Amino acid sequence: GVLLLKKALTAEILQKEMVELLITGNGTVWFLLCLLCVELCYLGFVKMKIQNYGWLVIGLGVLAAVSVLDNGGIPLLVVLFRVIAGLGYYCIGYGMCSLHCEQKIKGWMAVVLLAAGIIVEIFFGCEVDFFNGNFGNLITMLICSICSSAGYLFLLEKLEKADFGNAVKKVFSYFGKNSLIVMLIHPLLLQVVMYPLGSRIGQLQGGTSVLAGIVVYVGIVILEIPFIKVINGYFPFVLGKRKETAK
């Protein structure tokens, strides 16, 4: 609308905006199209009644394909690579979950998985870039993304059964119930925080870089809490709630 008023709307700008809106996604919602396509593909695989290890084989094969191919920055190929990689991770996650249900992962195993992911990230880096559909080296990609994610999940499962497990569950439940607000506020806070710190953090390497990233992430999550309270308390209508029912 602003571009029309200023008579600055061109065919090139319109094409770029339509590509971002309908194909590549824009802002924090780009992953919704990817997730929808992944789940539709996944439903097709489910009907094939694949066994646990079969899911792992399919997932690894799919991720191997996107790690060696190049999308050339072409929007439709970027979306396709996102879906293919997402399906790979989905299949691996389903297979690991099924195996975990049959033979429980021990606490020390979760710690080892998490440590392996962090160590590889520090010394070799992790080239997983879903937004641009680039997935780099297959080995480091698998260790960083899968080992770290599995380690976190299995470790949280163990912590949930500990004495302070209810507190952990309440924290995740709180942010889960307010995920719409988090999706709105998180990228804005990230821009504000990274504006003065981005160049300095970008110069960090190895373990220092990982630690700085964790500190920034935790800090932003904490900063989201007052926004959650204000929006729930005074602007619940933006979430489709009535003021008296907002929590």
Side-chain angles (χ1 to χ4, degrees):
V2 173
L3 290 174
L4 283 173
L5 291 174
K6 292 185 176 181
K7 298 181 179 181
L9 184 64
T10 65
E12 182 181 354
I13 292 176
L14 180 60
Q15 180 182 8
K16 181 173 184 280
E17 291 299 320
M18 293 303 292
V19 166
E20 289 187 351
L21 178 63
L22 301 176
I23 300 178
T24 61
N26 203 349
T28 56
V29 298
W30 64 266
F31 69 92
L32 294 178
L33 174 62
C34 175
L35 184 59
L36 173 63
C37 294
V38 167
E39 291 189 341
L40 290 176
C41 294
Y42 171 75
L43 288 175
F45 280 113
V46 167
K47 293 182 179 180
M48 298 171 62
K49 297 181 179 180
I50 299 170
Q51 299 301 315
N52 296 341
Y53 289 104
W55 287 110
L56 298 178
V57 172
I58 292 175
L60 290 173
V62 167
L63 290 177
V66 295
S67 69
V68 297
L69 298 175
D70 183 11
N71 59 52
I74 301 172
L76 283 174
L77 287 181
V78 169
V79 174
L80 181 61
F81 273 48
R82 288 176 183 170
V83 174
I84 293 174
L87 181 62
Y89 281 115
Y90 223 78
C91 291
I92 290 175
Y94 186 84
M96 292 182 68
C97 179
S98 299
L99 291 172
H100 176 54
C101 291
E102 293 178 2
Q103 186 174 0
K104 295 294 184 181
I105 299 295
K106 305 297 182 182
W108 66 268
M109 295 179 183
V111 174
V112 170
L113 286 171
L114 181 56
I118 293 175
I119 291 172
V120 171
E121 167 69 22
I122 291 174
F123 291 100
F124 301 99
C126 182
E127 302 174 2
V128 177
D129 182 0
F130 253 95
F131 184 78
N132 292 304
N134 297 320
F135 300 93
N137 183 277
L138 177 64
I139 303 302
T140 56
M141 175 178 70
L142 291 175
I143 296 176
C144 289
S145 57
I146 294 178
C147 288
S148 296
S149 299
Y152 277 119
L153 292 173
F154 294 145
L155 194 58
L156 287 172
E157 182 185 56
K158 300 301 179 184
L159 292 176
E160 185 179 348
K161 297 176 182 178
D163 295 336
F164 52 89
N166 287 333
V168 175
K169 187 184 295 185
K170 286 181 179 179
V171 171
F172 282 96
S173 177
Y174 176 77
F175 285 99
K177 291 178 180 178
N178 294 285
S179 57
L180 286 176
I181 301 176
V182 171
M183 287 176 60
L184 171 66
I185 299 300
H186 190 89
L188 298 177
L189 289 176
L190 182 62
Q191 291 291 335
V192 171
V193 171
M194 293 303 290
Y195 182 77
L197 300 177
S199 59
R200 295 183 180 180
I201 294 178
Q203 294 174 356
L204 301 176
Q205 296 180 348
T208 306
S209 174
V210 175
L211 180 60
I214 294 174
V215 171
V216 170
Y217 178 79
V218 172
I220 290 176
V221 169
I222 293 174
L223 289 174
E224 289 167 0
I225 295 176
F227 288 92
I228 291 173
K229 292 185 176 298
V230 170
I231 291 176
N232 275 318
Y234 299 98
F235 307 100
F237 56 88
V238 301
L239 304 172
K241 300 177 181 179
R242 294 182 179 181
K243 190 170 184 178
E244 61 269 21
T245 61
K247 295 183 179 180

